[in-house]
Amino acid sequence: MIPASKKIRLILDLRQGGVLDTTLLAAMEKVPRDYFVPEAFRDRAYEDTALPISHGQTISQPLIVARMLAALDLNDRVKVLEIGTGSGYQTMILSHLCRRVYTIERHRPLLREAEARFEEMGRHNITTRAGDGALGWPEQRPFTHIVVCAAAPDIPPTLVEQLDIGGVMVVPVGDERREQRIFKVTRMETQIDVEDIGPVRFLPLVAGMPETDKLSRHAKG
Ligand code: SAH
């Protein structure tokens, strides 16, 4: 099958999976997932499955991306914070759905590869940062929407603080031993409202920067 028909098949699978938001499906149809996976997995790019990228990470499963972004309920006036850029696949979808995307990745080489893709695809509403996403992006707060692409041990309080009142964060919570669940967290005036969206399997949110990265920075500086 040629990529175009594989892509249409994937969009139909997402609809079958209960994703009915046409704006979201159209944005996902615009993004060539084969561009975000390593050469060796290119023929599987339109399967509804997570696939390995470098640094032991994965490109997220399209149905999970769709469910998480559907829960965010985005529009083209908002700015979004994404934690865990990875390949940049979800970032690219976000860039079609909102005004500006701020995205943080702890693996610098992964981020550089993602940035090259954004550049080549002519997306100019994405701002990137290499760092620990658990700390958020304080200079840009508040955000109306935050999406976390790695499993946190608990709802991260620092990220809740960077949400606007009425703002929404979608975050997988749990670890390898406990079942992970995706939570939709809405920040209210004095408390948070938490809705359980369902089970999921994500790699963990890791604190700090990778050792190799720290070393290379020391070497330079
Ligand atoms: N949405 C991405 C998913 C990548 S997997 C995609 O579809 O490609 C999750 C990513 O989160 C990994 O790249 C991992 O390095 C990153 N990550 C894990 N903990 C992090 C942290 N504390 N801060 C920033 N990024 C983190």
Side-chain angles (χ1 to χ4, degrees):
M1 229 195 305
I2 57 163
S5 47
K6 284 187 186 175
K7 195 196 269 182
I8 290 165
R9 174 82 257 158
L10 173 63
I11 301 300
L12 292 173
D13 287 347
L14 298 178
R15 287 183 69 95
Q16 203 96 67
V19 181
L20 302 175
D21 179 335
T22 48
T23 311
L24 172 59
L25 290 171
M28 292 188 73
E29 198 174 340
K30 277 193 204 132
V31 177
R33 193 168 183 252
D34 53 298
Y35 205 71
F36 294 82
V37 301
E39 191 74 51
F41 292 100
R42 212 141 278 173
D43 59 331
R44 299 185 56 196
Y46 293 99
E47 290 178 17
D48 185 24
T49 174
L51 292 168
I53 54 175
S54 59
H55 294 80
Q57 303 303 315
T58 56
I59 179 170
S60 305
Q61 180 189 344
L63 183 60
I64 299 301
V65 171
R67 287 198 176 137
M68 292 183 54
L69 299 191
L72 278 183
D73 197 15
L74 297 159
N75 64 66
D76 57 10
R77 296 179 305 280
V78 301
K79 65 174 191 187
V80 178
L81 174 63
E82 177 189 52
I83 312 296
T85 319
S87 66
Y89 171 63
Q90 179 179 281
T91 321
M92 187 66 83
I93 298 167
L94 280 168
S95 88
H96 288 289
L97 290 169
C98 54
R99 184 171 57 80
R100 183 153 282 282
V101 190
Y102 292 86
T103 186
I104 308 178
E105 168 58 53
R106 64 189 288 277
H107 283 292
R108 220 173 275 268
L110 273 181
L111 190 64
R112 296 288 104 94
E113 284 175 32
E115 283 167 346
R117 293 184 182 111
F118 305 150
E119 188 62 38
E120 204 167 312
M121 299 177 108
R123 300 306 298 174
H124 300 299
N125 63 344
I126 301 170
T127 311
T128 60
R129 169 177 282 184
D132 182 356
L135 306 175
W137 199 312
E139 305 87 337
Q140 284 297 334
R141 61 179 290 189
F143 293 93
T144 52
H145 299 81
I146 299 179
V147 57
V148 185
C149 306
D154 231 318
I155 295 170
T158 313
L159 297 182
V160 172
E161 277 164 28
Q162 293 182 22
L163 267 182
D164 214 345
I165 306 294
V168 176
M169 168 163 63
V170 173
V171 54
V173 172
D175 56 36
E176 257 102 87
R177 285 156 291 134
R178 277 185 297 151
E179 186 193 38
Q180 293 174 10
R181 313 286 306 182
I182 306 178
F183 288 150
K184 174 179 174 176
V185 179
T186 308
R187 181 172 183 185
M188 320 294 262
E189 288 280 356
T190 53
Q191 87 270 29
I192 55 170
D193 181 66
V194 181
E195 188 188 330
D196 185 338
I197 303 183
V200 79
R201 200 96 208 108
F202 267 98
L203 292 168
L205 189 72
V206 183
M209 295 296 277
E211 275 310 311
T212 47
D213 226 68
K214 284 189 197 144
L215 289 176
S216 67
R217 262 187 297 156
H218 283 311
K220 272 192 214 127

